[in-house]
Amino acid sequence: MSFVLHPRLEADTVFIADWPLCRVLLMNDARYPWLILAPRRDAVTEWMDLAVSDQALLAEEIAKAGRAVRGLPGVTKINIGALGNLVPQLHVHVLGRHGGDPAWPGPVWGHSPAVPYEAAPRDGLIGLVRSL
Amino acid sequence: MSFVLHPRLEADTVFIADWPLCRVLLMNDARYPWLILAPRRDAVTEWMDLAVSDQALLAEEIAKAGRAVRGLPGVTKINIGALGNLVPQLHVHVLGRHGGDPAWPGPVWGHSPAVPYEAAPRDGLIGLVRSL
């Protein structure tokens, strides 16, 4: 297994856990509860390049991440996205939105620079996701 | 079965087909080959509210839509998104992107007004997806 996380994802996120399929990362942007799921498979750029069994696992892990984010205070909507226009390694964003957030109702991607976390809320979120 | 498509999706798209889980729609924007998958389940807003078996079906249908779009001329990247900030009914966008498209490398959602199709290319795309 020679899964290597793309350097841009490495720089923008904090490691949370390895789930059966995906490396689970916290986007370092305190404005949104924002997880990134990167399937630990080599050289996969697109969803449909995953094996069918991995697609089903990815769907389950998206749901698990979505349930975690939906439970957080203030979250009223989950956004899910797999774009990869800048980072070709397949990764899926799962994040919580609400009517007062900076990008609402538009998408968060490319909207404005991230605001890095303070240690305490970051570690709280990481602990919560690790406990699932 | 009382699935009713949200009026905003009804207005912005053209019907293509009903797959095992999803109604498949063509976004009426000639600038991007853009399919929308709306699971034919009542009152489902979020991915994780689907049954696990439906999540797996959705993953397969996303892959099928993605393969269709990737085969079209000029497409170099697939974008997938389930946002629902404006239309709460669960629906998944699967569309083709390339370096010269209007929104590249940002997301298409909220970028700029759609450019409706002429009949011939629209019907060509619909026919292609129906033949899958």
Side-chain angles (χ1 to χ4, degrees):
Chain A
M1 191 75 190
S2 58
F3 172 75
V4 178
L5 192 65
H6 188 286
R8 172 82 182 260
L9 290 175
E10 190 80 49
D12 292 347
T13 68
V14 182
F15 174 82
I16 300 180
D18 278 340
W19 287 353
L21 178 65
C22 293
R23 178 149 300 171
V24 184
L25 305 157
L26 177 68
M27 184 70 161
N28 191 15
D29 188 339
R31 303 173 302 164
Y32 311 95
W34 184 340
L35 304 180
I36 293 180
L37 306 180
R40 291 180 287 120
R41 297 288 181 260
D42 293 339
V44 172
T45 296
E46 300 286 6
W47 181 292
M48 54 277 193
D49 295 333
L50 289 171
V52 171
S53 56
D54 280 348
Q55 292 171 18
L57 262 180
L58 179 55
E60 281 181 44
E61 295 184 1
I62 288 171
K64 182 175 174 176
R67 284 191 298 268
V69 170
R70 178 162 60 179
L72 297 170
V75 171
T76 59
K77 187 71 195 72
I78 301 300
N79 283 182
I80 298 167
L83 289 87
N85 302 340
L86 297 170
V87 174
Q89 182 178 61
L90 180 60
H91 61 288
V92 181
H93 304 263
V94 180
L95 67 145
R97 306 293 307 271
H98 66 86
D101 76 35
W104 185 268
V108 295
W109 305 288
H111 178 267
S112 48
V115 176
Y117 275 100
E118 305 286 334
R122 180 196 66 206
D123 294 347
L125 254 179
I126 290 172
L128 183 146
V129 177
R130 282 186 184 156
S131 75
L132 296 176
Chain B
M1 191 74 189
S2 59
F3 172 75
V4 178
L5 193 64
H6 188 286
R8 173 82 181 259
L9 291 175
E10 190 80 49
D12 292 348
T13 68
V14 182
F15 174 81
I16 300 179
D18 279 339
W19 287 353
L21 177 65
C22 293
R23 178 148 301 170
V24 185
L25 305 157
L26 177 67
M27 183 70 160
N28 191 13
D29 188 338
R31 304 172 303 164
Y32 311 95
W34 184 341
L35 304 179
I36 293 181
L37 306 180
R40 291 179 289 121
R41 297 289 181 257
D42 293 340
V44 172
T45 296
E46 300 287 6
W47 181 291
M48 55 276 193
D49 295 333
L50 289 172
V52 172
S53 56
D54 281 347
Q55 291 171 19
L57 262 180
L58 180 55
E60 279 181 45
E61 295 184 2
I62 288 171
K64 182 175 175 178
R67 284 191 297 268
V69 171
R70 177 162 60 179
L72 297 170
V75 171
T76 58
K77 187 72 196 71
I78 302 299
N79 283 183
I80 298 167
L83 290 88
N85 302 339
L86 297 171
V87 174
Q89 181 177 63
L90 179 61
H91 60 287
V92 181
H93 305 262
V94 180
L95 66 146
R97 306 292 309 270
H98 65 87
D101 75 36
W104 185 269
V108 295
W109 305 287
H111 179 268
S112 48
V115 176
Y117 275 101
E118 304 286 334
R122 181 197 65 205
D123 294 346
L125 253 177
I126 290 172
L128 183 145
V129 177
R130 282 187 184 156
S131 74
L132 296 176

